[in-house]
Amino acid sequence: MRKKNIRSHPRFIQKLQRDLKQYYYDEDYYTYIQQFKALQELDFPSSEYFEMYYESLFHTGQNEKALFFGETFFQMLDDDHEDNALHMIMIIRALKNLERYEEVENWLVAMAKNPYLGDLDPSVLEKLEMILQSDITDSSKDEHMIQPEFDGNIEKTITEGSVEARLSAVEFIFNKKVEGYVDLISRLYKNEEILMIQSLMVGYLKAMDYNDEPIELNKFGKKFKKYTSEFKTFDKEAKVVKTIEWIDDIGARKFEGNDEKIRQTLEMFMNFSILWYPYHVPFTPQKIANIFINYIRVLHNELDEKNFHGELADWVFLIQDEIERLNQ
């Protein structure tokens, strides 16, 4: 009897799938792209692996390849195939990244006319909304948008205000990417003692493409000296999107569907992560999600504090100490 090819064995495919997830969550995107092809040869991947493949292409700047891949699969699949929505969304995202806005509008119209649009999972529609509202929108249009006003004099608040007021002002110019404060922030961040404010200042300089001199920091006993062009944005460095997904997934099980505790975990994760920026977060999104979920469980007396230990716990406590200093 002819021996079955081991590569087609279900266990081999399952191992390949596990490896692919690990490559992705370790941010080894090039290996994921390469090994995804092996999965395609053996099996038709589920939408989860398609999505990670697209994300890997976007992370490595391969927008043209993502577009070609999406258009190819969209043409291959039946009109009512369940993966159609995902491929359409990724095509739109690739086109936006490539600044081919007229084609984006055509695809949006096509999506709106799709008879199966109303049957889409809400998470798919949320993902489309996130893409349309994200930083990959037409930047030339943003220049002509009226920025929301800050309730007060930004420069005076940042230089003379209370800690709370300064934090609010810097957070405002960082989140809204308000231009005109680069010179001020590039002078002040060096001597800023409140690390939350300093992190937001550095995030602002990164968002403004400040590259006149390297950013030099000493936070949590670690030194950092790089040009802003050499480090990632806060969202990418803190691994925000994937960590939030893991918090939602793991939290639903560990908190038994308690949305309030999941919200508390998300809020704590975001507040803690900005303090660490722009340093590299040295853990995978899944591990980050687990540690913050367990910390919330400790605070709610659902987990014994003696079981909350290790390298990740030390990292959390390090940032917690700084937050307590901020609130003194």
Side-chain angles (χ1 to χ4, degrees):
M1 182 182 292
R2 186 176 179 182
K3 204 169 186 178
K4 190 176 182 181
N5 187 342
I6 191 170
R7 281 171 53 84
S8 64
H9 193 283
R11 288 187 179 179
F12 182 88
I13 295 175
Q14 290 168 6
K15 181 181 184 306
L16 179 57
Q17 290 172 331
R18 289 196 302 271
D19 289 345
L20 280 169
K21 285 187 176 181
Q22 195 60 54
Y23 293 138
Y24 184 80
Y25 294 127
D26 286 345
E27 299 184 349
D28 188 356
Y29 301 121
Y30 286 103
T31 303
Y32 184 95
I33 292 168
Q34 182 180 10
Q35 292 301 311
F36 178 77
K37 295 175 184 176
L39 179 62
Q40 279 188 288
E41 292 174 0
L42 302 174
D43 192 21
F44 189 85
S46 67
S47 57
E48 178 183 16
Y49 295 96
F50 274 119
E51 184 172 0
M52 287 190 286
Y53 179 69
Y54 278 115
E55 292 292 346
S56 296
L57 291 174
F58 291 135
H59 277 297
T60 54
Q62 301 183 65
N63 295 296
E64 290 282 4
K65 189 171 184 178
L67 177 61
F68 178 78
F69 184 83
E71 290 178 336
T72 300
F73 263 86
F74 186 76
Q75 292 169 5
M76 287 172 50
L77 300 176
D78 295 332
D79 291 341
D80 60 348
H81 195 281
E82 61 183 357
D83 285 339
N84 261 343
L86 172 65
H87 292 298
M88 291 179 83
I89 287 172
M90 294 306 176
I91 289 168
I92 291 170
R93 184 169 173 184
L95 287 169
K96 288 182 77 69
N97 287 348
L98 294 166
E99 300 184 0
R100 290 160 59 173
Y101 302 113
E102 290 186 6
E103 293 174 72
V104 168
E105 292 180 8
N106 292 337
W107 276 99
L108 287 173
V109 169
M111 228 179 149
K113 292 180 178 178
N114 190 313
Y116 300 95
L117 187 62
D119 299 328
L120 291 178
D121 189 290
S123 63
V124 175
L125 296 177
E126 287 178 17
K127 189 178 290 293
L128 177 59
E129 182 66 21
M130 286 174 61
I131 291 171
L132 297 179
Q133 297 299 326
S134 70
D135 291 339
I136 56 176
T137 54
D138 186 352
S139 58
S140 64
K141 294 179 182 177
D142 291 344
E143 294 175 3
H144 304 290
M145 291 176 64
I146 299 175
Q147 294 286 358
E149 293 184 3
F150 179 75
D151 186 18
N153 184 301
I154 292 178
E155 183 168 347
K156 185 175 181 180
T157 302
I158 291 175
T159 54
E160 302 177 16
S162 64
V163 170
E164 183 178 343
R166 289 168 55 227
L167 179 61
S168 178
V170 177
E171 187 174 25
F172 172 79
I173 65 170
F174 170 56
N175 289 335
K176 301 298 182 183
K177 297 181 175 62
V178 182
E179 297 181 1
Y181 296 93
V182 171
D183 290 342
L184 174 68
I185 300 302
S186 64
R187 291 198 312 270
L188 294 181
Y189 89 88
K190 301 171 186 176
N191 299 313
E192 179 55 58
E193 295 182 353
I194 304 300
L195 298 191
M196 177 73 82
I197 296 177
Q198 187 185 62
S199 292
L200 289 167
M201 286 179 165
V202 172
Y204 172 76
L205 293 176
K206 169 64 177 175
M208 294 294 104
D209 295 324
Y210 172 80
N211 225 35
D212 292 355
E213 61 181 5
I215 301 296
E216 190 168 355
L217 301 170
N218 191 336
K219 295 168 62 174
F220 304 114
K222 293 180 177 290
K223 292 185 178 180
F224 182 97
K225 186 175 181 179
K226 290 183 180 180
Y227 287 94
T228 62
S229 57
E230 296 180 88
F231 57 91
K232 299 177 183 177
T233 62
F234 164 67
D235 285 355
K236 290 185 178 180
E237 193 60 87
K239 306 173 183 177
V240 171
V241 174
K242 285 301 172 185
T243 300
I244 288 175
E245 289 179 3
W246 277 112
I247 288 174
D248 285 337
D249 182 30
I250 301 170
R253 288 182 276 111
K254 288 194 174 182
F255 294 136
E256 298 180 347
N258 188 314
D259 291 338
E260 176 60 21
K261 290 178 182 177
I262 293 175
R263 185 195 63 77
Q264 291 172 1
T265 307
L266 291 170
E267 188 174 304
M268 179 175 284
F269 160 61
M270 295 300 291
N271 287 337
F272 277 39
S273 295
I274 192 64
L275 270 172
W276 192 254
Y277 187 73
Y279 291 92
H280 173 67
V281 176
F283 310 109
T284 64
Q286 185 177 8
K287 289 181 178 178
I288 297 171
N290 261 310
I291 199 66
F292 280 104
I293 286 170
N294 285 336
Y295 193 36
I296 292 293
R297 293 175 68 206
V298 168
L299 296 178
H300 282 279
N301 297 315
E302 296 174 1
L303 180 68
D304 195 320
E305 190 171 353
K306 69 181 181 182
N307 293 323
F308 188 76
H309 57 81
E311 186 181 13
L312 272 81
D314 292 342
W315 179 67
V316 169
F317 288 138
L318 193 67
I319 305 174
Q320 178 67 53
D321 290 343
E322 174 60 23
I323 290 178
E324 290 177 359
R325 187 174 80 86
L326 174 66
N327 293 327
Q328 286 177 353

